[in-house]
């Protein structure tokens, strides 16, 4: 991996620029970034608890660190007089990491919040122009979706018809059975057909970003329910266009590899 320029790293840690890739996301010193940003957005008086949490989570993986900083910010904001103005500054900040903290703040709001309201609050982050913010948006929301899959699917189904491919992709990626950097959803690993109607709505989506998410979803499910994955793809293949064919090919990649391996070992 190419070594990062010192001035580039400094700009990332000051929150002046977005990360260009995952390597830059991981290279950011979130404690340094917090100390720079929170004073700039008017939150220095309640920031000590957030700084402490960032320091305590310094050796943890980025997923746990982001969640803990987001929760600490949410608690601290409860004591801020100008909470809404501060949140607006975070949500529109030049740094994708700062916007991602804001995604956690709104997604991990009070437990009594209705799922529809939680999704509405995180929607802007799901549509963010930066890949990282979009990933943190679904990861921040995922525990609440996994807690009630039936309601999650009801709430996410309208998102599959949105004109923004990022929103359509969120509707699938957020409930992947196995996911990435997150806990698996046992209910969908065992019963992937519960999301079949939602997946059907995207089986010929023109966006490769959405296609990849749909195919990854089915590939996840194929590891525990191979017959269901095969039957779904067989049904889709009957009237498949180029978009569907690409999804089907990627969706069955694990099963295809297993079949190839089985044949070569005969």
């Amino acid at each position: 991996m190419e070594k990062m320029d010192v001035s580039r790293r400094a700009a990332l840690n000051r929150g002046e620029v977005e990360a260009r890739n995952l390597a830059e996301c991981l290279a950011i010193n979130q404690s340094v970034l917090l100390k720079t940003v929170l004073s700039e957005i008017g939150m220095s008086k309640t920031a000590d608890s957030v700084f402490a949490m960032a320091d305590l989570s310094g050796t943890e993986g980025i997923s746990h660190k982001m969640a803990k900083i987001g929760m600490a910010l949410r608690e601290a904001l409860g004591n801020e007089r100008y909470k809404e103005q501060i949140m607006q500054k975070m949500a529109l900040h030049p740094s994708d990491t700062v916007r991602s903290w804001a995604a956690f703040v709104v997604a991990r709001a009070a437990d009594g919040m209705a799922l529809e309201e939680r999704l509405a609050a995180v929607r802007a982050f799901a549509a963010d122009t930066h890949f990282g913010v979009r990933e943190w948006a679904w990861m921040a929301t995922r525990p609440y979706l996994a807690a009630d899959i039936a309601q999650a699917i009801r709430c996410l189904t309208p998102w599959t018809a949105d004109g923004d491919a990022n929103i359509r992709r969120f509707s699938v990626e957020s409930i992947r059975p196995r996911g990435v950097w997150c806990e698996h959803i046992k209910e969908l690993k065992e019963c992937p057909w519960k999301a079949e109607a939602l997946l059907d709505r995207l089986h010929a989506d023109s966006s490769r970003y959405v296609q990849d998410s749909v195919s990854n979803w089915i590939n996840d499910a194929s590891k525990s329910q191979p017959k269901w994955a095969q039957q779904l793809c067989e049904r889709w293949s009957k009237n498949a266009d180029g978009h569907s064919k690409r999804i089907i090919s990627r969706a069955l990649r694990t099963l295809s590899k297993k079949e190839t391996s089985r044949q070569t070992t005969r």
Side-chain angles (χ1 to χ4, degrees):
M1 184 173 65
E2 187 178 345
K3 188 175 181 180
M4 192 185 305
D5 181 80
V6 173
S7 61
R8 174 70 183 171
R9 187 187 297 272
L12 286 166
N13 286 336
R14 289 193 299 267
E16 296 171 352
V17 295
E18 292 183 338
R20 293 173 182 151
N21 49 48
L22 178 59
E24 288 196 348
C25 290
L26 296 173
I28 293 170
N29 185 321
Q30 296 200 37
S31 292
V32 172
L33 181 59
L34 275 167
K35 289 171 183 174
T36 301
V37 169
L38 295 195
S39 60
E40 290 177 350
I41 64 175
M43 198 178 161
S44 56
K45 292 182 180 179
T46 59
D48 286 347
S49 60
V50 186
F51 297 153
M53 179 57 71
D55 291 339
L56 285 172
S57 61
T59 58
E60 296 188 52
I62 190 168
S63 296
H64 288 103
K65 186 183 300 183
M66 289 292 293
K68 288 184 176 180
I69 290 174
M71 295 291 283
L73 281 166
R74 190 194 79 182
E75 294 299 321
L77 280 166
N79 298 314
E80 285 285 349
R81 182 179 179 183
Y82 301 107
K83 174 182 176 179
E84 293 177 2
Q85 292 92 324
I86 291 171
M87 270 301 302
Q88 183 74 354
K89 290 177 181 178
M90 289 178 61
L92 299 175
H93 201 276
S95 168
D96 58 282
T97 298
V98 176
R99 300 201 302 277
S100 298
W101 293 337
F104 271 96
V105 171
V106 300
R108 301 283 172 96
D111 289 340
M113 189 181 210
L115 187 57
E116 289 160 307
E117 294 176 19
R118 202 177 298 277
L119 285 167
V122 83
R123 187 184 182 96
F125 301 101
D128 198 275
T129 56
H130 192 274
F131 69 92
V133 180
R134 297 194 298 270
E135 292 302 290
W136 291 120
W138 71 253
M139 279 191 264
T141 316
R142 184 175 168 92
Y144 304 96
L145 298 170
D148 189 346
I149 287 298
Q151 178 64 4
I153 291 171
R154 282 193 290 272
C155 292
L156 291 170
T157 295
W159 289 39
T160 64
D162 198 273
D164 186 341
N166 293 331
I167 295 295
R168 300 198 304 277
R169 191 253 189 180
F170 181 100
S171 71
V172 180
E173 194 70 21
S174 59
I175 55 169
R176 273 180 60 180
R178 293 175 184 270
V180 179
W181 289 8
C182 59
E183 290 187 13
H184 294 180
I185 300 178
K186 183 180 179 182
E187 184 175 352
L188 291 176
K189 286 167 65 176
E190 295 178 351
C191 307
W193 45 85
K194 291 185 177 183
E196 188 166 331
L198 184 148
L199 296 168
D200 277 342
R201 294 166 69 94
L202 297 169
H203 79 281
D205 199 281
S206 61
S207 165
R208 287 205 164 203
Y209 193 47
V210 179
Q211 291 171 21
D212 287 349
S213 189
V214 174
S215 59
N216 288 339
W217 202 109
I218 299 167
N219 186 62
D220 283 353
S222 76
K223 297 171 184 177
S224 50
Q225 293 290 352
K227 289 185 178 179
W228 173 82
Q230 289 172 323
Q231 290 171 355
L232 176 66
C233 289
E234 284 173 10
R235 177 164 64 81
W236 286 358
S237 67
K238 292 177 182 177
N239 297 295
D241 61 7
H243 303 314
S244 292
K245 288 176 181 177
R246 181 175 183 271
I247 290 173
I248 291 167
S249 176
R250 297 189 77 257
L252 298 177
R253 63 187 184 272
T254 295
L255 295 181
S256 297
K257 287 178 183 177
K258 286 183 178 179
E259 178 60 20
T260 300
S261 178
R262 186 182 66 82
Q263 291 179 356
T264 57
T265 56
R266 281 180 175 177

